[in-house]
Every structure is written in structure tokens, then in C-alpha cells.
Amino acid sequence: MTAKEILEELTTEEKASLCSGKDFWTLKSVERLGLSSIMVTDGPHGLRKQQGSGDHLGLNKSVPATCFPAACASACSFDRDMLKSAGRAIAEECLSEQVAVILGPGANIKRNPLCGRNFEYFSEDPFLSGEMAAALIEGIQEKGTGASLKHYAANNQETLRMTSDSVVDERALREIYLAGFERAVKKAQPWTVMCSYNRVNGTYACENKKLLTDILRGEWGFKGLVVTDWGAMDDRVAAAKAGLDLEMPGSRGYNDAKILEALKNGTLSAAELDALVLRIIELILSSQKSLERAKGAGFDAAAHHALARKAAAKSAVLLKNEGVLPLVKGKSAAVIGAFAKAPRYQGAGSSRINPTRLDGAFDELLAAGVDAEYARGYIQGRAETGSAGAADEESLIREAAALAAKKDAALVFAGLPDEYESEGFDRKSMDMPQGQNRLIEAVAAANPNTVVVLHQGAPALLPWAGKVKGILLMYLGGQAVGGAAADLLTGAANPEGKLAESWPLSLSDVSSYKYFPGKGKTAEYRESIFVGYRHYDAAGKTAAWPFGHGLSYTSFEYSGLAPERGSFKKGEKLRVEFTVKNTGGREGAEAAQLYVAPASSAILRAPKELKGFEKVFLKPGESKTVNMILDERSFAYYNVPHDSWAVEGGAYSLLVGSGSADIRLAVEIQVEGDGLEKTLAPLREKTAEYFSQGKGEFSVSDAAFEALLGRPLPPSRRNPGDPFTVNNTLEDIKDTEIGGKLVEEFRAVIGRQFGGDQGLRLMMEIMAMEMPLRSIAMLNPEMTPEKAANIIDMLNAVPQSS
């Protein structure tokens, strides 16, 4: 039967039932019509299929699977083919476990380096993010497994992620926060898109018709299914009318009944419900075909591990090298740091994979023939030590420095421990553990040939950077990161990664510094389009390591930049050609980048924007011609009064280089515009502050941001005396008698479950306090939606102090 034929045979009750999950990971079935229950599971850089009870935090055990580099790492490869290969391998593992859809990739923009979940996201740049997401989706779906592009949209912090309102102007929304999703949807057509927890300009993403229907389906042509993030559902009927198809993990029938009630009272039409159900049926039918073909199939774990090692090597970024790398064969090395034996290779939370194996760099260096000796250096996993722990750590530092002094080179493996960055909370600073900083300082003082190998999911401040000769950034490189690090350190592989995000000299240099993570109910995106390198360029700031930066053991020369024409107008495409030559003595790969820069502008524009990139593999002395295509969107901005993309005319420079701050070639062309920028003239005076930002902290007034936003700012905090709702968090109600008792109960449960792991217990407490009652009711069997509603009634029955 076809999907439409099945739809016609379904009862109204069956239709409503299909709109929510059967349990944590599976959809409901209608066996009489041939619809089976299919499974979806977490990703995005590997399969996380849980064997027992389900959770969305990576706590319970999952089946062994290959842990590929996280997006923070893989984006730095600038390598679409590599992402596709990883996607195919992930799909093979999904099919071997009869998993229909893997929940990833994440295409959210890295607005601020403190976001605790940045390790799951690709970039600060929407073009790169969209291209990397599309490549991974294509690889996954090529094998017949569905992908789920997430978290749509403007979900750029973990603090109050389930209730916060992302207040963002339309240009920034379109040009920065939606553009990566748009590119991935148009290029790869993911089977599903996952909406985020947060509100976007006042409306929850899961019931935002503008996002889910008008833009996603109407403008971008999305054909698949929209699913909630787990526990994100607010108003089921409003969500259905907005275009939200599937609620996960389901509400044990509560919201199914809401759908039936809405059908009876006319709030929801039969046609609206049928549209949702048809897309759910189509997903199940497509999945059933793939899963039936894959029954009994396995996967080559050794081959996938080898692919993960290759991917980690391609994704690593050599930040600094003063002739110390690759290591000289036959020379001795001190290998220092707990991460050398037990690397931090993935992030914490729902993306946590149970790896098929795990490589440590120390063992891999020994296997490569390096004369190496190990010292622990620091206490892994301890954010800050007490007095006894500090004494132990100082002893470890002295031991490591003594070892380093006896060797030809010192390799320090350091980075951020799990408790510093995770799903569920944001970092408070960019600092590394102080014990690690002291260790690196001591080792560098003992050995002039010190190299630091970093394992972390986001930028950090490196106060010792000027005292070491080399810095190799592995990010969170997956289960084979130890072997990849050994390959790079010994020269068996040549570094080719480029930074997919800027590394600031100071947190205060970040454009959202004063506004992240927001004030209570809202997160104000006052920096607008000036995110990442766009801000550094506009403000004339220098980054510690700029976007696109990455060194190699060889050198590359650029020449012959030649656009096919010296002019461009709307509706055309423009081919741009140049040559890259390997002028060094080793084979290597270069990620050549193409930026577009308006010579001047009457409106707010970034000085330049990435609009093309290509990975070029070259042997010593070899040259290759690189071709990139620019189109109308390469020169466009979003014109809010006309609610459309527009092109400002004038001179534009096409800039080609090895990084955003390493431009090698430039040529100017003339672009014919549409003149729509004139409609923005009245806005310029009201937003003058945006045009005059200097090197200090980015700051704009309420009036300027309101002018850009086009409306008054919403209240940022709950007013005392406001009625409570199921969207209030435990934090909101903790000072009431009922809320205080509820908080005590939750803390007691968390203490019993996680008391032996202080870091995990604190993480769970933070997440619980920021979770709205409706989400607790969805995710916790002991708290039903009816019980949550009763608690709200009791809270509101008691007079509140104002």
C-alpha cells in the first residue's frame, strides 16, 4: 500500500496516536496496515543505540559503535568527501542495529565559545556549517538511513535552553542562524528536521509556523518530517497547526488526546492532521524498506576504526609550529598528561558513544617507534583540587618537568575535562584547568622543545602559548584520536585542518560577550550578523588564531585568480578559477577559501564572508587549478522591508587565501544591484552604533537594538506575582513551599543516582533546575502532565509576594 492509501484506512484515533512516540526511541505501529514500529537514536558522530532504558543524556549503556570525530573537529577538515565517508559508515552501523534515523547533524552556529554544546556543532560560519552538514547527511542517507538536522533554530546556548527566548533580528536570523540549515536542506534533503527547545522571537520553535512551514517547507522546499527535540513539546495543537509532525518521546497519550479534542472542537482540521500523519507514514515506509534489506547485515569495525583515525588526522589543526614538528626520528620524547593514555575524545550528553575501541597516544607513539617515557602530569577529570589534591598535583608537575628535562622533546596532552563543557550547561569562562596551565609552564621551562596537544570541544585561553614551540589541536577527535595524534606528531600524516571558529585572545573580544547567555527569560542577540570573524574584521580586532587558520608541514603558493567575467548581476553564476601549488617537500592538502567583500556599503555588512572552499591534495611540486562557483546568494543580504534576499550593487573584491586573515589573492568585480538597500536608509541613523563599533567590548543600546529588531524588547525576567505555568522551571518555583519540597525531592533522587560522581551530580542538578515542569512530565514517568498541571494549580492558589 502507498502512504496515501494507508492514510485513508487509518481511524482518527490511529492518526492521532501516530503523532507521538511509542517510547523513548521508537515510533508507534499500525500492524494491520503494515506499519511497523521503527527506531530512531542519538548521534550525531556515531550511533548511540541504548540497550536498556532510554535517556537523552548519554547516561545509560549503549551498544558498541564507532565514535567518529565530533563536529567541532570534523568541520576543521573542510573536507566534504571525508564527511560523506563518515556518514556512510555511521549508516552501516545504524542498519546493522535496525535503526531507521540517526539524530544528527547539528548545524547551530557557534555564537559564543562558552556554549556547552559547541562540540556538537560545526562552525561560527553558516556557509561552512551548511556544507559540512549537507555532506554528512548525504553520506548517511545514501545508505538508506535517515538523518535528522538539528536543532532548528537559534539554539545557541545550554543555559535555560528549554524556556529561553532567542531575541534575534530578521537579518541575523536569515543570514547567520538559518542559512546553514537552509543550505543543508536544499542540498541534502534530510529525512527529518528536529526543532529546538527554545522560543524564537517569542514563539516556541516546535510551534513556530514561520519556521516550520513558511520558511522550511514553503521557501526551502523541505519534503521530510519535523520532530521535536526530546521533551520540547509545549502546546501540541499549536504545534500541529504550525507544521510539527512527530512528538518525541511522547506523553503517554496525553497529547494524543489533545489532538482528538481539537478535532472535535474545530481547533484542528482533519486536513491539517492528515498532512502530519502522511509524512510520518512516508518516513516509516521508507525506513521499512531499508531495514528489511539490511536484516542480518553487520559492519567492518576495523575498517571503520581506520576511517575514524584518518578523519581525526584530517580534522586536526596545527596552530603553531616553530620547527619542532614533526618529531625527529630517533630522538627521545617525554609524553606527559593523563589525556595521552586516556584521551578526551567526545563530549558529554546525548552524543556520548560507547566506542568499539579507544586508542591512546602514548601507546601509539611507542608502536610508531618513538623513544618515549610517560608522566601523568595532572589529575584527570578534577576541575579544581582541594588542598590535598593540589599537593598531589604539584608533585605530578615536578615529576613531569624532571622527565621533560631529560628528553629531546616534551609532548604535553592537555585540554578541557568533561565537567568543563557538556550538553546541559554553559561554561563560565574560557580558562583551562589551572593545574594544566602550571604543568605546561613548568614543562616548557624544563624543555625548550615543548609541544602541547589539545583535546577539547571549544576555544580556551592559552596563557603559555608563547612559551611552547608547537600546539596541535585535536579537538574531540573520536575513538582513534590517539593514533591520529601519533601519526601527526611523527609525520606519518601531514596536518591539513583549518579552524572552523575563531579563537579569541580574550572572552571580552567576543561580540556576544555582554549578552551571553542572556537575562533570565531572554537571550538577546544584540550583535546581529557580527558573529565570529565577521565581528573581528568589522571591529579591527586580532584573534589568537583566526577562522580558517591551520599550518602544514609543507607550503602552498596561490596564483592566477581569474573570474570568468569582471561583472555579475542577479540570476547569474560566476566561475572563479585560481591555482594552488605545493612548494614544499611533503605531500599535503590545502583548504583554499574564497571570501566575498563589498568595497563599501550603505547598510550593515560584514567586511567579508566565506562563500566557497575546496580541499586540494598535492604532491611536492604539483599544481592544481581550483574552480568555485558564486551565485546570487554569494553577494546577497536579507532585505527585511521587502522580506526577500537582495543584492547591493557596486564593487566587490573576491579574496582567496589560506585563512580569513591570510589572504593571498584578490580581484575586484562590479556587481549590478537591485537598489533595495535604499529602503534601509531610515534605519541607518537609528542603528548608527552598529556602524561605529571599535576594538572595545561590543555594546549597543536598547534603542539601537529595538530599531534593528523592529519592535520593543520583550521582558527579560519574570515579574513577581505573575501566574505560574507548566513552562516555569524548578528554579522559578523553588522559593514557594510546594516548589521547595519538589526541588528537595529531585535533589535527593539525583544524589542517590549520581552521588558518587560529583561532576555528573552537579550537571544533573543544573539541568533539573532549568527544566520546565512540562518537560519533566514528558521525560519522567513519575511526573505526569496531569500531575504537573495540578502542581501549577496549587502554586497559583497561594498568594505570591510582589
Side-chain angles (χ1 to χ4, degrees):
M1 298 175 71
T2 66
K4 289 185 178 179
E5 290 170 340
I6 292 173
L7 180 68
E8 292 173 359
E9 295 295 322
L10 289 170
T11 66
T12 302
E13 289 74 17
E14 286 171 331
K15 290 177 182 178
S17 177
L18 282 173
C19 292
S20 64
K22 173 185 174 183
D23 53 32
F24 212 86
W25 297 120
T26 61
L27 278 62
K28 293 170 184 167
S29 64
V30 184
E31 298 295 342
R32 69 181 183 87
L33 297 176
L35 290 181
S36 301
S37 176
I38 61 171
M39 173 174 274
V40 302
T41 65
D42 270 325
H45 51 271
L47 171 68
R48 189 176 79 89
K49 178 187 176 184
Q50 291 183 297
Q51 293 172 312
S53 59
D55 72 80
H56 68 305
L57 297 173
L59 303 178
N60 295 328
K61 189 175 181 181
S62 58
V63 300
T66 308
C67 181
F68 287 92
C72 60
S74 62
C76 298
S77 72
F78 279 66
D79 192 331
R80 300 174 181 88
D81 290 339
M82 190 206 79
L83 266 294
K84 289 180 184 177
S85 295
R88 295 184 194 106
I90 291 170
E92 287 178 5
E93 299 190 20
C94 288
L95 292 172
S96 75
E97 289 288 343
Q98 289 290 287
V99 169
V101 177
I102 189 163
L103 304 178
N108 297 92
I109 292 297
K110 298 184 179 186
R111 177 184 174 225
N112 188 290
L114 297 185
C115 174
R117 208 170 182 178
N118 271 355
F119 61 84
E120 255 188 83
Y121 303 138
F122 290 111
S123 180
E124 68 188 30
D125 181 82
F127 182 87
L128 177 60
S129 183
E131 287 291 306
M132 295 290 98
L136 187 59
I137 293 166
E138 287 170 348
I140 291 170
Q141 296 188 168
E142 181 183 304
K143 292 284 186 176
T145 298
S148 191
L149 182 64
K150 62 184 186 181
H151 305 89
Y152 182 72
N155 175 202
N156 309 100
Q157 65 187 53
E158 292 298 285
T159 302
L160 293 169
R161 63 176 177 167
M162 290 187 164
T163 56
S164 180
D165 182 9
S166 296
V167 182
V168 54
D169 72 277
E170 189 70 12
R171 272 197 65 194
L173 184 66
R174 294 287 192 149
E175 295 179 24
I176 303 296
Y177 297 101
L178 296 187
F181 286 95
E182 177 184 3
R183 181 164 288 273
V185 166
K186 288 181 174 179
K187 289 192 71 173
Q189 276 294 337
W191 287 12
T192 74
V193 166
M194 182 192 294
C195 65
S196 56
Y197 288 119
N198 54 289
R199 291 180 172 96
V200 181
N201 289 327
T203 303
Y204 276 107
C206 63
E207 56 196 56
N208 196 313
K209 180 177 178 293
K210 174 182 175 179
L211 289 176
L212 302 187
T213 296
D214 300 344
I215 295 176
L216 181 61
R217 299 191 188 280
E219 295 183 25
W220 301 350
F222 176 60
K223 306 299 183 186
L225 173 150
V226 178
V227 59
T228 63
D229 202 342
W230 268 231
M233 183 60 73
D234 174 41
D235 183 325
R236 186 60 183 101
V237 176
K241 294 181 73 66
L244 188 286
D245 302 308
L246 178 64
E247 174 191 9
M248 289 298 287
S251 56
R252 300 180 290 282
Y254 182 82
N255 279 329
D256 299 348
K258 292 287 186 184
I259 290 175
L260 292 174
E261 182 184 344
L263 286 171
K264 289 178 183 178
N265 64 30
T267 309
L268 183 70
S269 71
E272 287 173 320
L273 177 59
D274 282 354
L276 313 184
V277 176
L278 182 62
R279 291 191 284 263
I280 295 169
I281 296 170
E282 289 171 341
L283 175 67
I284 293 173
L285 292 180
S286 296
S287 299
Q288 285 180 172
K289 292 177 183 177
S290 298
L291 296 174
E292 182 62 32
R293 288 194 301 267
K295 277 186 176 178
F299 67 94
D300 188 335
H304 286 189
H305 182 79
L307 178 60
R309 182 168 180 156
K310 183 177 180 181
K314 285 178 170 290
S315 303
V317 182
L318 184 58
L319 295 178
K320 179 179 181 179
N321 187 22
E322 295 180 350
V324 69
L325 293 176
L327 297 172
V328 177
K329 194 171 183 178
K331 297 291 186 179
S332 62
V335 178
I336 297 165
F339 284 168
K341 285 193 172 183
R344 180 154 183 260
Y345 61 99
Q346 63 177 332
S350 63
S351 67
R352 185 179 290 278
I353 312 299
N354 177 18
T356 57
R357 58 181 281 192
L358 181 61
D359 292 346
F362 178 63
D363 289 338
E364 294 295 330
L365 286 165
L366 292 178
V370 177
D371 176 12
E373 191 174 345
Y374 173 77
R376 185 178 176 188
Y378 54 84
I379 301 170
Q380 185 177 356
R382 183 176 296 179
E384 295 295 339
T385 59
S387 57
D392 292 341
E393 198 155 67
E394 290 306 315
S395 176
L396 292 174
I397 290 173
R398 289 193 297 271
E399 176 190 344
L403 177 63
K406 298 188 296 184
K407 302 296 181 180
D408 296 313
L411 310 175
V412 182
F413 289 76
L416 301 178
D418 271 344
E419 63 261 37
Y420 271 56
E421 52 180 354
S422 169
E423 177 181 356
F425 62 88
D426 295 317
R427 289 195 289 164
K428 301 301 182 185
S429 78
M430 286 181 60
D431 294 334
M432 285 181 61
Q434 291 307 305
Q436 291 190 22
N437 284 334
R438 292 194 302 272
L439 169 70
I440 295 168
E441 295 266 3
V443 170
N447 190 316
N449 295 317
T450 294
V451 175
V452 178
V453 182
L454 292 172
H455 295 273
Q456 55 200 67
L461 300 180
L462 311 181
W464 37 259
K467 299 176 182 179
V468 300
K469 282 193 176 179
I471 305 174
L472 178 62
L473 174 62
M474 301 304 297
Y475 273 112
L476 301 180
Q479 67 180 53
V481 67
D487 291 340
L488 293 162
L489 292 167
T490 60
N494 192 347
E496 57 187 70
K498 303 282 188 179
L499 287 178
E501 61 186 323
S502 307
W503 278 51
L505 285 167
S506 167
L507 182 58
S508 62
D509 285 340
V510 177
S511 57
S512 56
Y513 169 66
K514 294 182 67 174
Y515 310 110
F516 182 93
K519 299 176 292 184
K521 294 170 61 176
T522 63
E524 296 176 358
Y525 288 47
R526 293 202 184 202
E527 69 280 2
S528 186
I529 62 172
F530 296 107
V531 178
Y533 70 87
R534 288 166 168 80
H535 167 62
Y536 293 106
D537 287 350
K541 294 180 180 178
T542 300
W545 287 283
F547 177 87
H549 169 74
L551 304 176
S552 171
Y553 295 153
T554 190
S555 56
F556 299 96
E557 179 183 271
Y558 288 70
S559 64
L561 175 59
E564 62 179 323
R565 297 183 308 278
S567 62
F568 178 89
K569 60 183 178 181
K570 292 180 72 171
E572 294 182 337
K573 293 186 184 297
L574 181 69
R575 182 182 298 276
V576 179
E577 181 180 289
F578 57 91
T579 299
V580 179
K581 181 180 180 180
N582 184 343
T583 56
R586 293 172 177 262
E587 62 179 24
E590 172 75 338
Q593 301 153 46
L594 171 61
Y595 297 84
V596 171
S600 62
S601 178
I603 62 174
L604 282 176
R605 298 291 294 268
K608 65 176 180 289
E609 296 181 297
L610 181 72
K611 297 299 178 181
F613 64 87
E614 202 67 47
K615 198 69 168 284
V616 189
F617 299 87
L618 297 167
K619 295 179 181 179
E622 184 181 9
S623 298
K624 283 186 181 177
T625 298
V626 180
N627 287 282
M628 298 184 192
I629 303 294
L630 297 176
D631 58 18
E632 186 175 314
R633 281 290 292 274
S634 304
F635 302 93
Y637 70 95
Y638 197 80
N639 186 285
V640 178
H642 282 262
D643 199 19
S644 65
W645 292 95
V647 174
E648 184 180 20
Y652 284 73
S653 290
L654 307 182
L655 310 174
V656 171
S658 186
S660 65
D662 185 11
I663 301 301
R664 309 286 183 87
L665 304 171
V667 65
E668 188 174 279
I669 66 168
Q670 291 295 318
V671 172
E672 180 182 311
D674 49 34
L676 292 182
E677 65 273 8
K678 295 175 184 176
T679 62
L680 300 175
L683 187 63
R684 176 153 188 155
E685 183 177 349
K686 297 177 182 178
T687 59
E689 296 169 39
Y690 281 92
F691 292 85
S692 58
Q693 291 291 330
K695 293 186 178 183
E697 294 176 7
F698 185 93
S699 180
V700 293
S701 65
D702 289 359
F705 186 48
E706 286 182 338
L708 197 64
L709 200 59
R711 64 182 188 279
L713 289 172
S716 61
R717 300 192 183 280
R718 176 181 176 273
N719 292 319
D722 283 352
F724 290 109
T725 73
V726 290
N727 284 323
N728 282 115
T729 65
L730 289 180
E731 180 68 32
D732 292 334
I733 67 173
K734 67 178 174 49
D735 293 329
T736 67
E737 182 179 356
I738 296 170
K741 291 179 180 178
L742 196 59
V743 169
E744 285 181 11
E745 290 178 15
F746 268 89
R747 283 180 172 158
V749 171
I750 290 169
R752 287 194 297 271
Q753 291 182 335
F754 310 109
D757 187 327
Q758 182 181 5
L760 185 57
R761 180 179 62 79
L762 290 173
M763 180 187 83
M764 295 303 298
E765 283 191 5
I766 291 170
M767 293 179 66
M769 293 301 291
E770 294 186 351
M771 189 174 288
L773 291 182
R774 63 171 167 80
S775 296
I776 294 174
M778 300 293 182
L779 299 172
N780 186 342
E782 296 180 9
M783 169 76 83
T784 64
E786 293 87 353
K787 185 176 180 181
N790 289 337
I791 290 172
I792 293 301
D793 289 341
M794 288 189 289
L795 286 168
N796 288 326
V798 179
Q800 299 180 50
S801 58
S802 56

